Amino acid sequence: MSFTRRKLLLLAAAIGIAAGPATAYAADVLNVGAYPTNPPFEFKNESGTFEGFEVDIVNEAAKRVGMTTDIADLGFQALFAATTSKRIDVAISSITITAERLKSQSFTQPYYDSDMGIATKADSPIKAEADLKGKIIGVLSGSTGETWVKAHQEADGFSDVKGYDTQQNLLLDLSAGRVDAAVSDIPGMEYSFTKMKDLVVKERIKTGEQYGLMMTKDHPLLGKLNDALTAMKKDGTLAAIHKKWFGSDAPADSSTMKEMPLPKA
């Protein structure tokens, strides 16, 4: 009996030793969720690896707090459930910081300023918001574009609002004429329109949106990652990442360049 017990104790000790490095390694990994078809913010290259503006940001921020990243492929709406359930630590995908989202999520300071836009086929007679009465509007489900459209549907007289699981499907339906217009973030649409030549942004909707790293509510790493973003702004790293992906300098008064306060609910 004693011999068997001794063997069991030795086996348990061996398992504990083997598990040690794996546990330590996991503690050094920042689990990130990303929507995979959102260029230039995040997308998968031909080898299946994530690239993009926000990918570079989260990788650099993680590096500065002594961590590496593990980026998971998730749908846009699934990102919110994944942070809430603590399946991931951080979500990236041009996620706008809003008062409503701050009730259940935490955000770092913003690092990108954006507006929404109304996009149509280039030859569409629609030129502005006033022309959308009786039209079918497409949106990315769960996005601030959807929030804006639903808030304006009654006053502007949209005939219907169609939600899509991906930006690509939304824009493909716009190109095919299955929706009359799309309302979404301008940077992502304009990037897509470099290849989809038949689509254009007709009107900018000034919303003053800002993107940040979305995290589990009150995540213990929130302050450290936020400090990393501050350092990246001060030493020019964020400006260089912006130049790399957008081909232009970030405005001097933008959240890409200026240290901003931590968003509060």
Side-chain angles (χ1 to χ4, degrees), residues 131-152:
D131 301 321
L132 296 178
K133 185 175 182 179
K135 305 301 183 184
I136 302 172
I137 316 300
V139 296
L140 179 64
S141 296
S143 69
T144 50
E146 179 182 47
T147 301
W148 184 91
V149 168
K150 289 187 173 179
H152 289 76

Side-chain angles (χ1 to χ4, degrees), residues 5 13 15 47-48 55-56 64 67 109-110 136 145 151 160 176 180 190 197 214 223 228 230 232 238 251-252 262:
R5 184 182 178 188
I15 292 172
S47 66
V55 176
D56 283 358
R64 292 184 183 219
M67 304 180 78
Q109 64 179 293
I136 302 172
D160 194 14
D180 299 302
E190 288 188 334
K197 303 292 186 181
M214 186 173 77
T230 296
M232 290 163 64
L238 253 173
L262 197 66

